[in-house]
Amino acid sequence: MKKLPLLFILLVSFMPAVHSEDGYRLWLRYDRINDKSVAATYKKNISGWMVQGNSPTLSLVKKEIHSGLTGLLGNIPEVKAVKASVILAGTPQSSEIIRNLNLDTRLQKLGREGFLILTTTYQGKKLTIITAQEDVGVLYGTFHFLKLLQTHQPINKLDIESSPRINLRVLNHWDNLDRTVERGYAGFSLWDWHKLPDYIDPRYHDYARANASIGINGTVVTNVNANARILSPYYLEKVAALADVFRPYGVKIYLTARFSAPIEAGGLKTADPLDPTVQQWWKDKVKEIYSLIPDFGGFLVKANSEGQPGPQNYDRHHADGANMLADAVAPFNGVVMWRAFVYDENVPDDRAKQAYNEFKPLDGTFRKNILIQVKNGAIDFQPREPFHPMFGAMPQTPLMMEFQLTQEYTGFSTHLVYLANQFKECLDDDTYAKGKGSTVANVIDGSLDNHQLSGIAGVANIGTDRNWTGHPFAQANWYAFGRLAWDHQLSAQSIAEEWLRMTFTNAPDFVNPVKEIMDNSWETTVSYMTPLGLHHIMGWSHHFGPAPWIKDRHRADWTSVYYHQANKDGIGFNRSATGSNAVAQYAGPVAEVFGSREQCPEKFLLWFHHVGWSEKLKSGRTLWEELCHQYYAGADAMKAVQQKWNTLEGKIDRERFEQVKMLLDIQYKEAIWWRNACVLYFQTFSGMEIPAGMEKPDKALQYYMNLEFPYAPGIRPQW
Ligand code: BDP
């Protein structure tokens, strides 16, 4: 054997791996395709590439195609003139060749952000073109094309038209200016306000690129529990620097507006929305913002909710407050996203009814550039909630969806919970607002009531953790949010599959079992946390772990006992006509189903009904037995997931395999914790034995009740 020079050996052994699989690259991994026949077919179809046009966005397209093709296939040259099997990207304005293909009618149909990927012939040569009316569409098309390669799809005869069903597809960062993240479980805030605007962390680019790759076109960079300081010139300059980075990626920046900012930042005596000096203050502030950020998206507002100031402080309606801000941003085409997550300071008869009661009467009174942002369910991002009754109930107002990607109520960043199934259940539900087929998705995409403006928001799960989201599988929730925001018709399973192929490997013996794990993960979590429609029984304030025993706090509707209503007779919140009658907020056919003890789907049984411990459920088990069964089945399912995961060793990189393995250990432990704590606690009411065959908890209830977590992550600092 030839002796290798010592220096070479030293260099090689100390050289870092080109890409350690630390998750930083998300789903945008362009590693060489190692399936030889797949790679050979692609190489046959791609002789080179060219991007015509030099705008900032098209320069990104160039970079992406170059790194994508070089990474996946090796040296594919950039070419200057058309030859056979070239990939060409550009718009009809930027590219003469594309202009000559006369695609205007097709492109117009696709709108501002839609794209077309087409295999065609030009001057007798076969070309694949990636095109759109505007540059950002070409960028979206580029990511789509590269995804085809990453996931080993055929590309020899393409004719793909795609355009988003929803206009505003935004992330909501609950990031504070001190870089803590409310309900954030993946480190600190990405925004390094102290070093901005001069220091541009490369991560800002990578963040925007990841968003662009899934069609996210907006980001609210500050917490809904807002700090008026962000509106000061000192901070606005920093926001503008971020906006400059995000712009070429098609990502607009938005800010949260603290309603009392005219007082705190402007020195006024009031923030009354009908006061002309207040109105002028906002107009001037907005003008200042647009002078720095000409494409500023607008404001997101949490008002008169959980202690945040709002128009009701001045005896005004939500519409008065929202309209004032809307008037200020309207001349610049800005929007106001006004949140419907409100509930009265004075504890109402049923918190689930609050938002509807406050907002429904205001339908038709909001300005055209306002969206009302509604959480998927009426309480608060619980593991499972029926869809919010506001969907379908305000036909004259664009309602936008707010999903929570950060797993505040589904195990933080230690539980593998694929939330696309949760999102889909809500989107596909039928509100019956205009008869059968009036799905939540059709409400929020504007099609049901003919709204031009439409939106969807996801509360971000992103932070400074190297892999962005803490849990490697939490990346899938960011990914799936973007994909569903673009096209809510996609299935949760197809999104999981493409994500797995891009993020890990195309090997079916990994993809198939893990797709199944993902597909079952949400139901499993619901089962070990809040089965049968239980809700809001988590730890006090930090929301970590089970605490169904929380009672006697300053607000009844922050306690657990308020929601589960367990007593000697049974358990569940009676929201039927004999109870709070919250069901009446739904359209007739839905109200009938939810309101009936017999017809109500069991997944929502205890959400809508108070049910006796000995009543029989569909399974033939009594309620008590079924509750135990669900808790035990959930925990057992986690054990099975662990075992399945362990069989996959060696099929992916060791780093992420081990990481997930450790996290699954935590998840299993916590599933048992939830199970034991809840079953023992509810047993004090049912007085019944844990059914035979189910292992008895090894600790007493008091043990679980004594656990404390003063430094659990994501806690609200101000509470
Ligand atoms: C709750 C969170 C709280 C948020 C609130 C909101 O616990 O931190 O401020 O939602 O959405 O779920 O405003």
Side-chain angles (χ1 to χ4, degrees), residues 25 32 51 102 113 153 163 195 225 237 239 247 250 332 339 420 431 448 470 487 504 548 561 603 629 635 653 660 718:
R25 295 185 295 159
R32 192 67 45 87
V51 176
N102 292 323
E113 296 175 303
Q153 305 304 306
S163 51
K195 293 197 197 124
N225 295 316
E237 207 192 335
V239 177
R247 187 168 298 114
F332 307 94
R339 293 176 91 225
T431 70
L448 191 70
D487 183 1
F504 289 100
V561 297
K603 61 186 180 185
H629 171 77
D653 53 281
V660 172
Q718 59 272 58

Side-chain angles (χ1 to χ4, degrees), residues 22-321:
D22 54 15
Y24 186 83
R25 295 185 295 159
L26 297 160
W27 46 88
L28 297 170
R29 292 159 68 257
Y30 296 140
D31 291 344
R32 192 67 45 87
I33 294 174
N34 49 22
D35 182 320
K36 289 210 167 55
S37 81
V38 174
T41 327
Y42 286 154
K43 281 192 166 160
K44 222 175 77 201
N45 281 286
I46 308 175
S47 68
W49 60 273
M50 62 197 283
V51 176
Q52 294 198 305
N54 287 309
S55 70
T57 301
L58 290 176
S59 305
L60 293 175
V61 168
K62 220 174 257 183
K63 231 167 110 182
E64 203 63 41
I65 296 191
H66 170 71
S67 65
L69 293 184
T70 329
L72 291 159
L73 298 173
N75 188 24
I76 304 275
E78 180 179 7
V79 295
K80 294 283 171 237
V82 169
K83 54 176 193 155
S85 301
V86 154
I87 310 292
L88 164 65
T91 65
Q93 293 81 48
S94 74
S95 155
E96 197 189 332
I97 302 170
I98 293 177
R99 195 157 52 242
N100 290 342
L101 290 169
N102 292 323
L103 296 163
D104 286 0
T105 339
R106 281 189 84 174
L107 292 183
Q108 263 151 32
K109 263 197 351 235
L110 295 170
R112 217 186 66 76
E113 296 175 303
F115 60 83
L116 169 69
I117 305 177
L118 186 69
T119 311
T120 185
T121 27
Y122 181 77
Q123 296 178 342
K125 296 179 186 95
K126 183 175 161 188
L127 289 186
T128 299
I129 58 155
I130 305 172
T131 186
Q133 284 201 85
E134 304 222 354
D135 296 350
V136 71
V138 182
L139 183 62
Y140 292 150
T142 299
F143 281 115
H144 189 99
F145 178 75
L146 292 171
K147 176 168 65 188
L148 297 177
L149 303 182
Q150 283 178 283
T151 56
H152 298 189
Q153 305 304 306
I155 56 149
N156 55 330
K157 210 169 176 310
L158 295 174
D159 189 344
I160 300 171
E161 288 184 351
S162 182
S163 51
R165 292 178 194 267
I166 296 176
N167 312 133
L168 308 179
R169 306 175 297 279
V170 299
L171 286 179
N172 287 185
H173 287 267
W174 287 358
D175 292 16
N176 299 314
L177 299 184
D178 64 2
R179 295 195 78 178
T180 55
V181 180
E182 184 162 333
R183 313 312 180 183
Y185 313 103
F188 287 89
S189 169
L190 289 182
W191 327 129
D192 191 344
W193 296 112
H194 181 67
K195 293 197 197 124
L196 280 163
D198 300 316
Y199 184 84
I200 301 296
D201 189 325
R203 236 179 146 147
Y204 304 150
H205 285 275
D206 296 339
Y207 163 83
R209 169 174 170 251
N211 280 328
S213 77
I214 48 177
I216 289 174
N217 66 2
T219 180
V220 187
V221 291
T222 48
N223 192 353
V224 286
N225 295 316
N227 186 333
R229 284 200 175 89
I230 193 67
L231 300 175
S232 66
Y234 174 73
Y235 275 104
L236 287 177
E237 207 192 335
K238 298 166 186 281
V239 177
L242 283 180
D244 289 343
V245 175
F246 299 164
R247 187 168 298 114
Y249 296 91
V251 178
K252 269 192 187 184
I253 211 158
Y254 299 76
L255 291 174
T256 47
R258 184 160 162 90
F259 202 76
S260 51
I263 303 173
E264 290 150 14
L268 302 189
K269 292 218 154 36
T270 174
D272 181 350
L274 299 193
D275 185 313
T277 55
V278 172
Q279 294 171 351
Q280 194 55 46
W281 186 85
W282 279 112
K283 283 193 173 135
D284 293 343
K285 185 45 77 184
V286 163
K287 221 163 141 190
E288 181 189 341
I289 297 176
Y290 278 93
S291 71
L292 294 164
I293 312 167
D295 56 351
F296 178 64
F299 294 123
L300 169 65
V301 188
K302 171 175 178 177
N304 292 121
S305 164
E306 300 185 329
Q308 294 300 304
Q312 292 173 349
N313 300 25
Y314 307 94
D315 283 328
R316 313 294 186 200
H317 289 304
H318 284 289
D320 297 323

